[in-house]
Amino acid sequence: MKYMLCWSIPPENYNAAVDAFLEGGAPMPDGLTSLGRWHAIGSTRGWLMCEADDPVAVAHHVAEWAGLLKIDVFPVIDDAGAGEAATRARAS
């Protein structure tokens, strides 16, 4: 399953979060694959698209950063999956 993690850095954690990112690069734990990470220019917001068979891997990564970032996690589907869901809904 794919997940979109949306984070923001509280102002009081900004320097510590940047230091942690620059030192370690925010590697993915076992079982979690990064599909892309984006940072809003001039902002403290960012997004990580990742994939995992086990949601515990997602929870692991969130827990690693929970002391520095506010993170919202959304399971997501692509256009094909959304189209299939819409087709099923119309057929029922």
Side-chain angles (χ1 to χ4, degrees):
M1 171 141 247
K2 291 182 176 71
Y3 299 87
M4 179 65 75
L5 280 61
C6 305
W7 79 82
S8 61
I9 306 170
E12 64 273 14
N13 293 351
Y14 181 77
N15 288 331
V18 169
D19 289 346
F21 176 71
L22 292 175
E23 289 172 14
M28 300 294 105
D30 288 343
L32 187 63
T33 301
S34 172
L35 302 176
R37 185 167 40 213
W38 298 269
H39 305 261
I41 297 170
S43 172
T44 58
R45 297 185 50 105
W47 302 266
L48 167 66
M49 175 68 78
C50 56
E51 189 168 29
D53 291 329
D54 183 358
V56 172
V58 179
H60 177 181
H61 191 61
V62 170
E64 291 176 320
W65 288 92
L68 296 172
L69 309 177
K70 179 190 176 303
I71 305 171
D72 295 312
V73 179
F74 302 95
V76 296
I77 56 176
D78 60 16
D79 284 352
E84 180 180 338
T87 299
R88 286 183 190 183
R90 285 190 172 176
S92 56

